[in-house]
Amino acid sequence: MSSTYYFAIVGTNDSPLYETELGVQRDESKYLNQFIVHAALDLVDDAQFMSTACYLKTIDRYNDWNVSAYVTPSNTRLMLLHETKADDAIRLFFTDCHELYLKTLLNPFYEPNTPIQSQAFDIKVNMLAKKYLF
Amino acid sequence: MEKQYKTIGEEAWKNNTEKINAELFIFTYGSLVVQLVKDYEDYTAVNKQLDKMGYNIGVRLVDDMMARTSLERCSGFSATAEVIAKIGFKLFLNVVPTVTNWSADAKEFSLILDDNPLNDFCELPPKAVTDGLWYSNVLCGVIRGALEMMQMQTEVVYVRDVLRGDDVSEIRVKLVRMLDEEVPASDD
Protein backbone atom coordinates (compact mmCIF):
# COMPACT_ATOMS: atom_id res chain seq x y z
CA MET A 1 0.00 0.00 0.00
CA SER A 2 1.78 3.08 -1.22
CA SER A 3 0.81 6.33 0.39
CA THR A 4 1.48 9.58 -1.35
CA TYR A 5 1.46 13.07 0.08
CA TYR A 6 1.68 16.49 -1.41
CA PHE A 7 3.05 19.18 0.91
CA ALA A 8 2.95 22.88 0.13
CA ILE A 9 3.83 26.08 1.96
CA VAL A 10 1.60 28.95 0.82
CA GLY A 11 2.57 32.55 1.50
CA THR A 12 0.37 35.43 2.53
CA ASN A 13 -0.38 36.38 -1.08
CA ASP A 14 -1.58 32.84 -1.87
CA SER A 15 1.41 31.89 -3.98
CA PRO A 16 3.31 28.70 -3.15
CA LEU A 17 6.69 29.18 -1.47
CA TYR A 18 7.57 25.53 -1.44
CA GLU A 19 5.99 22.36 -2.80
CA THR A 20 7.02 18.77 -2.72
CA GLU A 21 5.55 15.39 -3.49
CA LEU A 22 6.40 12.70 -1.00
CA GLY A 23 6.11 8.99 -1.55
CA VAL A 24 5.15 7.24 -4.73
CA GLN A 25 3.57 9.48 -7.33
CA ARG A 26 0.78 8.88 -9.76
CA ASP A 27 1.21 11.06 -12.81
CA GLU A 28 -2.37 12.10 -13.35
CA SER A 29 -2.63 14.02 -10.09
CA LYS A 30 0.36 16.36 -10.31
CA TYR A 31 -1.50 19.46 -11.54
CA LEU A 32 -4.58 18.48 -9.62
CA ASN A 33 -2.66 18.82 -6.34
CA GLN A 34 -2.04 22.51 -6.84
CA PHE A 35 -5.66 23.05 -7.81
CA ILE A 36 -6.99 21.22 -4.74
CA VAL A 37 -4.72 23.15 -2.35
CA HIS A 38 -5.64 26.45 -3.92
CA ALA A 39 -9.34 25.73 -3.67
CA ALA A 40 -8.92 24.76 -0.03
CA LEU A 41 -7.31 28.07 0.91
CA ASP A 42 -10.70 29.74 1.34
CA LEU A 43 -11.72 27.07 3.77
CA VAL A 44 -8.50 27.64 5.69
CA ASP A 45 -9.37 31.31 6.01
CA ASP A 46 -12.75 30.40 7.45
CA ALA A 47 -11.45 27.72 9.74
CA GLN A 48 -8.58 29.68 11.20
CA PHE A 49 -10.89 32.04 13.06
CA MET A 50 -12.88 29.17 14.56
CA SER A 51 -9.91 27.84 16.49
CA THR A 52 -7.02 29.37 18.40
CA ALA A 53 -4.68 26.53 17.57
CA CYS A 54 -2.27 26.54 14.64
CA TYR A 55 -3.14 23.03 13.49
CA LEU A 56 -6.53 23.00 11.78
CA LYS A 57 -6.76 19.28 11.06
CA THR A 58 -8.62 18.20 7.95
CA ILE A 59 -10.54 21.07 6.47
CA ASP A 60 -11.51 19.75 3.06
CA ARG A 61 -12.03 16.64 0.98
CA TYR A 62 -11.73 16.11 -2.74
CA ASN A 63 -12.59 12.62 -4.02
CA ASP A 64 -9.97 10.51 -2.28
CA TRP A 65 -7.81 13.34 -1.02
CA ASN A 66 -7.98 14.98 2.42
CA VAL A 67 -6.58 18.44 2.91
CA SER A 68 -5.02 19.28 6.25
CA ALA A 69 -3.82 22.73 7.14
CA TYR A 70 -1.59 24.44 9.68
CA VAL A 71 -1.52 28.23 9.91
CA THR A 72 1.52 30.00 11.31
CA PRO A 73 1.13 33.21 13.32
CA SER A 74 2.40 35.15 10.31
CA ASN A 75 -0.43 33.76 8.16
CA THR A 76 1.75 31.40 6.18
CA ARG A 77 -0.15 28.19 5.46
CA LEU A 78 1.33 24.72 5.53
CA MET A 79 -0.94 22.42 3.52
CA LEU A 80 -0.80 18.68 3.24
CA LEU A 81 -2.75 16.51 0.82
CA HIS A 82 -3.13 12.94 2.05
CA GLU A 83 -5.29 9.91 1.51
CA THR A 84 -4.91 8.22 4.87
CA LYS A 85 -6.07 9.74 8.12
CA ALA A 86 -3.28 10.30 10.63
CA ASP A 87 -4.05 13.40 12.70
CA ASP A 88 -1.34 13.04 15.32
CA ALA A 89 1.45 12.17 12.95
CA ILE A 90 0.46 15.01 10.68
CA ARG A 91 0.37 17.45 13.57
CA LEU A 92 3.91 16.48 14.57
CA PHE A 93 5.03 16.76 10.95
CA PHE A 94 3.52 20.23 10.68
CA THR A 95 5.10 21.37 13.94
CA ASP A 96 8.55 20.31 12.82
CA CYS A 97 8.04 21.87 9.39
CA HIS A 98 7.05 25.08 11.13
CA GLU A 99 10.34 25.04 13.01
CA LEU A 100 12.23 24.49 9.77
CA TYR A 101 10.34 27.38 8.21
CA LEU A 102 11.28 29.59 11.17
CA LYS A 103 14.94 28.76 10.69
CA THR A 104 14.63 29.73 7.03
CA LEU A 105 13.10 33.06 8.06
CA LEU A 106 16.05 33.70 10.36
CA ASN A 107 18.47 33.50 7.43
CA PRO A 108 19.29 37.12 6.62
CA PHE A 109 19.50 36.29 2.91
CA TYR A 110 15.95 34.98 2.74
CA GLU A 111 13.20 37.46 1.81
CA PRO A 112 9.89 36.52 3.38
CA ASN A 113 7.18 35.44 0.93
CA THR A 114 9.66 34.39 -1.73
CA PRO A 115 10.10 30.79 -2.91
CA ILE A 116 12.33 28.68 -0.69
CA GLN A 117 15.06 27.25 -2.86
CA SER A 118 17.47 25.89 -0.30
CA GLN A 119 18.56 22.31 -0.89
CA ALA A 120 19.10 21.81 2.81
CA PHE A 121 15.47 22.72 3.47
CA ASP A 122 14.30 20.24 0.87
CA ILE A 123 16.39 17.42 2.35
CA LYS A 124 15.15 18.14 5.86
CA VAL A 125 11.50 18.18 4.82
CA ASN A 126 11.97 14.81 3.16
CA MET A 127 13.58 13.46 6.32
CA LEU A 128 10.68 14.70 8.43
CA ALA A 129 8.22 13.12 6.03
CA LYS A 130 10.06 9.82 6.29
CA LYS A 131 9.98 10.09 10.05
CA TYR A 132 6.33 10.98 10.57
CA LEU A 133 4.37 10.06 7.49
CA PHE A 134 5.81 6.73 6.37
CA MET B 1 52.50 32.06 29.33
CA GLU B 2 49.78 30.32 27.34
CA LYS B 3 47.89 29.20 30.40
CA GLN B 4 47.99 32.74 31.68
CA TYR B 5 46.46 34.17 28.53
CA LYS B 6 43.65 31.70 28.71
CA THR B 7 42.80 32.60 32.29
CA ILE B 8 43.14 36.32 31.63
CA GLY B 9 40.70 35.98 28.76
CA GLU B 10 38.17 34.00 30.74
CA GLU B 11 38.36 36.29 33.75
CA ALA B 12 37.90 39.36 31.60
CA TRP B 13 34.92 37.77 29.85
CA LYS B 14 33.30 36.88 33.14
CA ASN B 15 33.90 40.08 35.03
CA ASN B 16 34.65 42.99 32.78
CA THR B 17 32.23 42.65 29.91
CA GLU B 18 28.68 43.76 29.49
CA LYS B 19 26.71 41.20 27.57
CA ILE B 20 23.94 41.62 25.02
CA ASN B 21 21.60 39.15 23.44
CA ALA B 22 23.52 37.10 20.88
CA GLU B 23 20.58 36.83 18.51
CA LEU B 24 20.19 40.60 18.37
CA PHE B 25 23.83 40.92 17.43
CA ILE B 26 23.72 38.12 14.87
CA PHE B 27 20.60 39.46 13.16
CA THR B 28 21.99 43.00 13.11
CA TYR B 29 25.15 41.77 11.43
CA GLY B 30 23.10 39.66 9.02
CA SER B 31 20.93 42.58 7.91
CA LEU B 32 24.07 44.67 7.57
CA VAL B 33 25.64 42.19 5.15
CA VAL B 34 22.41 41.75 3.18
CA GLN B 35 21.98 45.50 2.86
CA LEU B 36 25.57 45.86 1.61
CA VAL B 37 24.92 43.11 -0.92
CA LYS B 38 21.80 44.89 -2.14
CA ASP B 39 23.57 48.24 -2.35
CA TYR B 40 26.77 47.17 -4.06
CA GLU B 41 25.53 44.14 -6.04
CA ASP B 42 29.16 43.02 -6.37
CA TYR B 43 30.47 40.58 -3.84
CA THR B 44 34.11 41.68 -4.07
CA ALA B 45 33.07 45.24 -3.27
CA VAL B 46 31.06 43.95 -0.32
CA ASN B 47 34.09 42.05 0.97
CA LYS B 48 36.16 45.23 0.70
CA GLN B 49 33.57 47.28 2.57
CA LEU B 50 33.28 44.71 5.33
CA ASP B 51 37.06 44.78 5.69
CA LYS B 52 37.06 48.58 5.88
CA MET B 53 34.34 48.55 8.50
CA GLY B 54 36.24 45.95 10.44
CA TYR B 55 39.38 48.07 10.25
CA ASN B 56 37.59 51.03 11.77
CA ILE B 57 36.18 48.82 14.49
CA GLY B 58 39.57 47.23 15.17
CA VAL B 59 41.52 50.44 15.72
CA ARG B 60 39.11 51.41 18.51
CA LEU B 61 38.46 47.96 19.86
CA VAL B 62 42.07 47.22 20.72
CA ASP B 63 42.22 50.10 23.23
CA ASP B 64 39.05 48.81 24.80
CA MET B 65 40.56 45.37 25.14
CA MET B 66 43.81 46.67 26.63
CA ALA B 67 41.88 48.74 29.15
CA ARG B 68 39.92 45.74 30.31
CA THR B 69 42.74 43.29 30.58
CA SER B 70 45.80 45.41 31.48
CA LEU B 71 48.13 43.28 29.38
CA GLU B 72 51.82 43.93 28.94
CA ARG B 73 53.75 44.17 25.71
CA CYS B 74 53.88 40.90 23.80
CA SER B 75 57.23 39.14 23.65
CA GLY B 76 56.91 38.31 19.96
CA PHE B 77 54.53 37.70 17.11
CA SER B 78 53.56 34.27 18.40
CA ALA B 79 52.55 35.82 21.71
CA THR B 80 50.49 38.35 19.74
CA ALA B 81 48.71 35.48 17.99
CA GLU B 82 47.86 33.87 21.31
CA VAL B 83 46.54 37.15 22.70
CA ILE B 84 44.30 37.67 19.66
CA ALA B 85 42.88 34.17 19.93
CA LYS B 86 42.58 33.65 23.66
CA ILE B 87 41.78 37.16 24.81
CA GLY B 88 40.55 39.22 21.88
CA PHE B 89 38.13 36.70 20.40
CA LYS B 90 37.12 35.44 23.83
CA LEU B 91 36.32 38.91 25.10
CA PHE B 92 34.18 40.01 22.18
CA LEU B 93 32.73 36.86 20.65
CA ASN B 94 33.15 34.31 23.42
CA VAL B 95 34.85 31.84 21.10
CA VAL B 96 38.49 30.82 21.14
CA PRO B 97 39.94 29.99 17.72
CA THR B 98 42.99 27.73 17.45
CA VAL B 99 46.28 29.19 16.29
CA THR B 100 47.99 26.88 13.78
CA ASN B 101 49.82 26.66 10.48
CA TRP B 102 52.75 28.83 11.36
CA SER B 103 54.88 29.63 8.33
CA ALA B 104 58.60 28.83 8.29
CA ASP B 105 59.66 32.39 9.09
CA ALA B 106 57.06 32.68 11.87
CA LYS B 107 55.45 35.66 10.17
CA GLU B 108 52.17 34.04 9.19
CA PHE B 109 49.65 32.00 11.09
CA SER B 110 46.10 30.75 10.79
CA LEU B 111 43.18 31.13 13.12
CA ILE B 112 40.83 28.18 12.86
CA LEU B 113 37.29 28.94 13.99
CA ASP B 114 35.24 25.83 14.62
CA ASP B 115 32.12 27.77 15.29
CA ASN B 116 31.62 31.38 14.37
CA PRO B 117 28.59 32.86 16.14
CA LEU B 118 28.00 35.31 13.29
CA ASN B 119 27.16 32.37 11.04
CA ASP B 120 24.24 31.01 13.04
CA PHE B 121 21.06 30.70 10.99
CA CYS B 122 22.80 31.98 7.88
CA GLU B 123 22.81 30.20 4.53
CA LEU B 124 24.49 31.84 1.55
CA PRO B 125 22.63 31.94 -1.76
CA PRO B 126 24.50 29.95 -4.47
CA LYS B 127 25.52 33.10 -6.31
CA ALA B 128 27.23 34.47 -3.21
CA VAL B 129 29.24 31.28 -2.92
CA THR B 130 30.42 31.25 -6.54
CA ASP B 131 31.21 34.97 -6.55
CA GLY B 132 33.35 34.76 -3.45
CA LEU B 133 31.52 36.47 -0.60
CA TRP B 134 33.26 36.12 2.76
CA TYR B 135 30.36 36.62 5.14
CA SER B 136 32.39 37.38 8.27
CA ASN B 137 35.03 39.43 6.50
CA VAL B 138 34.57 42.14 9.11
CA LEU B 139 36.61 39.96 11.48
CA CYS B 140 39.61 40.22 9.12
CA GLY B 141 39.34 43.99 9.18
CA VAL B 142 39.12 44.05 12.98
CA ILE B 143 42.32 42.03 13.34
CA ARG B 144 44.11 44.20 10.78
CA GLY B 145 43.00 47.43 12.45
CA ALA B 146 43.88 46.25 15.92
CA LEU B 147 47.36 45.11 14.92
CA GLU B 148 48.02 48.34 13.08
CA MET B 149 47.35 50.23 16.30
CA MET B 150 49.93 47.97 17.87
CA GLN B 151 52.46 49.08 15.22
CA MET B 152 52.26 45.99 13.05
CA GLN B 153 51.21 46.14 9.44
CA THR B 154 49.44 42.95 8.47
CA GLU B 155 47.43 41.32 5.75
CA VAL B 156 44.48 39.35 7.02
CA VAL B 157 42.31 37.29 4.74
CA TYR B 158 39.74 34.55 4.96
CA VAL B 159 40.81 31.31 3.32
CA ARG B 160 38.08 28.87 4.25
CA ASP B 161 34.53 29.35 5.46
CA VAL B 162 31.90 26.91 6.67
CA LEU B 163 29.21 28.90 4.86
CA ARG B 164 30.97 28.06 1.60
CA GLY B 165 31.02 24.36 2.30
CA ASP B 166 34.40 23.94 4.01
CA ASP B 167 34.56 22.09 7.32
CA VAL B 168 36.08 24.93 9.33
CA SER B 169 36.56 28.65 8.95
CA GLU B 170 40.15 29.79 8.60
CA ILE B 171 41.63 33.28 8.72
CA ARG B 172 45.24 33.77 7.62
CA VAL B 173 47.22 36.55 9.30
CA LYS B 174 50.47 37.68 7.72
CA LEU B 175 52.88 40.17 9.27
CA VAL B 176 54.17 42.51 6.56
CA ARG B 177 56.35 44.77 8.67
CA MET B 178 56.66 46.47 12.02
CA LEU B 179 55.78 50.16 11.89
CA ASP B 180 58.09 52.63 13.58
CA GLU B 181 56.14 55.30 15.40
CA GLU B 182 54.31 56.55 12.32
CA VAL B 183 50.74 57.72 12.30
CA PRO B 184 48.94 54.84 10.62
CA ALA B 185 47.22 55.82 7.39
CA SER B 186 43.49 55.57 7.68
CA ASP B 187 41.75 54.47 4.53
CA ASP B 188 38.41 56.20 4.67
Side-chain angles (χ1 to χ4, degrees):
Chain A
M1 137 120 176
S2 61
S3 44
T4 70
Y5 299 88
Y6 171 78
F7 174 62
I9 301 184
V10 184
T12 54
N13 47 8
D14 289 352
S15 60
L17 307 179
Y18 176 78
E19 322 171 82
T20 184
E21 288 146 356
L22 309 156
V24 180
Q25 282 319 303
R26 282 165 295 172
D27 281 325
E28 70 232 12
S29 52
K30 259 193 202 145
Y31 300 112
L32 201 56
N33 292 334
Q34 285 197 338
F35 168 75
I36 300 173
V37 169
H38 205 265
L41 288 178
D42 283 337
L43 287 161
V44 176
D45 288 339
D46 291 336
Q48 77 185 98
F49 296 112
M50 302 288 208
S51 146
T52 52
C54 288
Y55 179 46
L56 300 175
K57 302 204 185 140
T58 305
I59 45 154
D60 193 20
R61 249 189 202 81
Y62 182 90
N63 294 349
D64 293 328
W65 296 99
N66 300 325
V67 187
S68 289
Y70 180 103
V71 186
T72 72
S74 56
N75 210 26
T76 305
R77 278 129 317 169
L78 310 178
M79 312 284 286
L80 185 71
L81 250 59
H82 54 101
E83 294 170 311
T84 51
K85 248 189 171 318
D87 272 354
D88 282 332
I90 294 180
R91 174 194 292 121
L92 293 170
F93 174 69
F94 273 145
T95 314
D96 281 0
C97 283
H98 185 194
E99 281 178 23
L100 266 184
Y101 176 67
L102 285 176
K103 294 219 178 73
T104 310
L105 280 179
L106 293 175
N107 178 8
F109 285 99
Y110 175 68
E111 288 254 3
N113 259 346
T114 55
I116 300 175
Q117 281 151 344
S118 152
Q119 289 261 11
F121 185 81
D122 196 27
I123 296 174
K124 288 198 190 110
V125 169
N126 280 305
M127 271 173 39
L128 287 178
K130 239 181 270 174
K131 184 170 162 201
Y132 291 117
L133 303 175
F134 291 115
Chain B
M1 204 65 224
E2 263 193 36
K3 188 93 191 286
Q4 270 182 294
Y5 285 143
K6 187 154 171 268
T7 30
I8 296 177
E10 284 170 11
E11 291 267 332
W13 164 257
K14 252 191 296 185
N15 303 330
N16 294 356
T17 38
E18 280 190 27
K19 321 255 190 313
I20 60 159
N21 186 321
E23 291 187 351
L24 175 64
F25 182 59
I26 294 168
F27 294 146
T28 308
Y29 183 70
S31 355
L32 177 83
V33 176
V34 170
Q35 197 55 48
L36 281 175
V37 166
K38 284 199 194 128
D39 289 344
Y40 284 99
E41 290 180 11
D42 166 31
Y43 292 108
T44 337
V46 173
N47 283 341
K48 200 152 155 283
Q49 277 305 109
L50 285 174
D51 187 76
K52 259 200 212 175
M53 288 162 54
Y55 177 84
N56 288 321
I57 295 174
V59 302
R60 297 160 227 282
L61 210 61
V62 67
D63 282 318
D64 188 28
M65 184 186 89
M66 297 310 252
R68 289 200 203 157
T69 52
S70 47
L71 285 167
E72 314 160 329
R73 186 172 278 283
C74 283
S75 49
F77 197 53
S78 60
T80 311
E82 293 296 318
V83 169
I84 295 175
K86 293 200 167 63
I87 303 184
F89 270 82
K90 174 76 184 168
L91 206 53
F92 295 111
L93 290 176
N94 199 20
V95 286
V96 178
T98 357
V99 180
T100 52
N101 279 354
W102 280 98
S103 67
D105 54 1
K107 288 210 168 156
E108 286 185 40
F109 64 93
S110 286
L111 288 164
I112 309 269
L113 284 147
D114 293 315
D115 99 273
N116 179 358
L118 294 175
N119 290 348
D120 286 349
F121 307 122
C122 180
E123 213 181 288
L124 290 185
K127 189 148 188 303
V129 177
T130 48
D131 286 353
L133 175 72
W134 296 116
Y135 184 76
S136 308
N137 209 35
V138 75
L139 296 178
C140 296
V142 171
I143 298 175
R144 185 167 67 89
L147 287 177
E148 196 159 312
M149 278 290 115
M150 297 287 116
Q151 317 297 24
M152 288 173 259
Q153 189 183 349
T154 50
E155 276 170 21
V156 187
V157 286
Y158 243 101
V159 287
R160 284 190 288 171
D161 194 2
V162 280
L163 292 177
R164 304 239 254 154
D166 303 312
D167 39 341
V168 287
S169 300
E170 184 180 340
I171 299 179
R172 191 105 187 118
V173 181
K174 179 166 137 178
L175 176 65
V176 173
R177 63 191 180 106
M178 302 293 283
L179 302 164
D180 296 317
E181 298 303 327
E182 309 165 20
V183 176
S186 115
D187 52 3
D188 53 2

